[in-house]
Amino acid sequence: MKSKWMGIILLGVFTGLLIGLSVSESAKASTTDGYVFKTTGVKKYSFPRALNSNSRYLGKAKSRHTIYFYVKQVKARGTVYFGLRRATNQTLYRQLGSVPGRPIPYSATKRKAKLFYVPQSTVRRIHTQGKVQRVTRSPYYLVNTKHNFWTFAPGTQVANREIHFADNYNHQTLYVTGRVKTRQHGIYYRVETARGKHLSWIYAKALHVGKYQTQVHFFNARTKLDKAEWIGWNQGITNVAIRVATYSQSGVVKQILVQNDNNTAVLFTVISGKVWFQKVSTAHLTDAMKPLSAKLSYGNLSKVKLNARSQRLNFDLSYISKDELGGWSTTIGVKLSQTNENPIVMPDRTFSWEA
């Protein structure tokens, strides 16, 4: 009878230890602490050699700055070994046609984050990020869509994934509510929409402080020239920010602004019959002025050419939907010298296509 109760007690203790170990490992795996090698040249194995002589050799540590994350540990012959791996980042597929975007399955990404074992004494713990700072809810807008929104700032967690495409939130004011400085990738902001939808973390340089306004509205508010704005065919396509605006003086066109769909624009300036252009990376930031000496393609704009005889600037505008296999394309002409209110020559025909 005693042996029976003793067995039950030992089983309970053993189960408790396993649960405690599991909780401990889980806590370590979810922390923002990481590990770096104290020195280079440390040999990495798929399992401690002291426990399995058939363990695969995975190379030597080449850097003291690369961050790895704790996954599990084992003890062999009095030595504690840490099972470490680099961060596993799940990225999103861009939606194609009517097929929704899907996360890349973990099996497709785990090859980039092999688990390896090294003695605990060969690594040291570091903080992968500073303290998350709450900031006063402040307006920002996207200046590029190269960076998407992540559940955590990349490089700070053992597992991370993209949850929102940035270009789905272009052309609008977003709000920053938090800031964190990471050890590997710089500063990240915690972002939400104007209505409070939580988008999570994005690289700070993808954002610009201030409320969003289109390039056309920005230039309209700051020019003393007469202006006329033209908006292209919508054809049922939503979230298209293509605009064309002309700025005239005494009936003569002085500037033409073509706003692309990707939050950029091109500003053409007419000086003594010659056309100069500037690439506008955001509403507030403009590149240096250059002479239009060759065909220019930028964003939705292409095949730009000045016809000196007819004093017309001709260019193509095209749009291809990111969510549907369709779009439109047309050729626009702008009279540089005229007396009409609207100097834009409407095209004779347009064409559209669908998959």
Side-chain angles (χ1 to χ4, degrees):
M1 191 70 175
K2 288 184 178 180
S3 60
K4 179 181 177 180
W5 283 108
M6 184 62 70
I8 293 174
I9 292 171
L10 290 175
L11 179 61
V13 171
F14 180 68
T15 304
L17 288 173
L18 287 179
I19 293 173
L21 179 61
S22 175
V23 170
S24 175
E25 290 181 358
S26 175
K28 287 186 178 180
S30 65
T31 184
T32 55
D33 284 345
Y35 290 86
V36 295
F37 283 101
K38 295 178 180 179
T39 182
T40 58
V42 178
K43 293 181 179 180
K44 299 183 288 185
Y45 290 95
S46 61
F47 204 73
R49 278 289 178 93
L51 292 179
N52 188 343
S53 59
N54 294 323
S55 176
R56 287 180 293 114
Y57 171 64
L58 301 177
K60 295 180 180 180
K62 297 179 180 179
S63 171
R64 293 186 295 109
H65 305 288
T66 303
I67 298 176
Y68 300 95
F69 292 89
Y70 174 96
V71 178
K72 60 179 65 175
Q73 71 180 47
V74 295
K75 190 173 183 179
R77 298 177 184 174
T79 300
V80 175
Y81 292 86
F82 274 3
L84 304 174
R85 71 166 178 234
R86 296 188 68 173
T88 298
N89 296 318
Q90 283 188 327
T91 57
L92 289 168
Y93 284 127
R94 162 48 65 192
Q95 181 171 324
L96 181 62
S98 60
V99 180
R102 295 180 299 173
I104 297 176
Y106 176 70
S107 59
T109 59
K110 68 180 181 181
R111 291 189 299 273
K112 300 178 182 178
K114 290 182 179 178
L115 179 67
F116 63 86
Y117 286 85
V118 293
Q120 178 186 0
S121 59
T122 63
V123 294
R124 63 183 179 88
R125 182 182 293 190
I126 60 166
H127 296 301
T128 60
Q129 67 176 49
K131 185 178 179 180
V132 176
Q133 300 173 342
R134 291 185 179 181
V135 300
T136 303
R137 194 172 185 265
S138 307
Y140 283 76
Y141 61 89
L142 290 164
V143 294
N144 66 67
T145 55
K146 298 177 182 177
H147 305 276
N148 290 325
F149 295 94
W150 294 82
T151 51
F152 307 101
T156 64
Q157 298 279 342
V158 66
N160 197 7
R161 61 189 177 92
E162 287 179 321
I163 52 176
H164 295 291
F165 290 112
D167 57 13
N168 288 338
Y169 299 92
N170 210 359
H171 318 306
Q172 63 180 279
T173 301
L174 301 173
Y175 288 85
V176 169
T177 60
R179 178 186 184 276
V180 68
K181 185 175 182 180
T182 69
R183 192 181 186 97
Q184 281 189 317
H185 303 297
I187 296 172
Y188 275 74
Y189 287 148
R190 185 174 55 212
V191 179
E192 62 183 33
T193 65
R195 293 185 177 183
K197 178 181 177 180
H198 182 60
L199 300 179
S200 207
W201 297 94
I202 193 170
Y203 186 46
K205 290 186 178 180
L207 296 171
H208 191 280
V209 65
K211 291 188 175 181
Y212 173 78
Q213 55 183 323
T214 66
Q215 287 90 349
V216 168
H217 291 159
F218 180 82
F219 280 89
N220 283 355
R222 286 159 178 77
T223 182
K224 295 180 180 180
L225 300 176
D226 300 329
K227 52 187 176 292
E229 181 179 348
W230 174 80
I231 301 175
W233 294 269
N234 187 21
Q235 296 190 3
I237 303 172
T238 58
N239 197 28
V240 179
I242 300 171
R243 302 286 187 273
V244 179
T246 60
Y247 303 91
S248 305
Q249 186 177 41
S250 301
V252 178
V253 173
K254 294 294 184 181
Q255 289 183 314
I256 304 108
L257 180 66
V258 181
Q259 180 178 291
N260 294 317
D261 185 55
N262 63 348
N263 211 12
T264 64
V266 181
L267 180 66
F268 297 97
T269 303
V270 184
I271 303 176
S272 302
K274 294 183 179 181
V275 179
W276 298 68
F277 75 92
Q278 295 167 279
K279 292 182 179 180
V280 184
S281 54
T282 73
H284 299 187
L285 305 175
T286 307
D287 293 344
M289 186 183 292
K290 298 179 182 178
L292 181 64
S293 57
K295 291 182 179 180
L296 170 69
S297 295
Y298 187 58
N300 303 89
L301 182 70
S302 63
K303 298 181 181 178
V304 183
K305 190 175 182 180
L306 173 65
N307 189 322
R309 179 177 294 182
S310 64
Q311 280 293 284
R312 277 179 54 174
L313 183 69
N314 297 314
F315 52 84
D316 285 357
L317 280 178
S318 61
Y319 173 76
I320 300 177
S321 173
K322 298 183 183 72
D323 300 328
E324 300 176 5
L325 295 179
W328 53 262
S329 177
T330 186
T331 301
I332 306 295
V334 178
K335 295 179 181 179
L336 300 185
S337 299
Q338 46 74 52
T339 56
N340 298 326
E341 288 185 4
N342 189 352
I344 295 176
V345 180
M346 299 298 288
D348 295 331
R349 65 187 181 92
T350 64
F351 65 90
S352 61
W353 66 94
E354 291 184 3

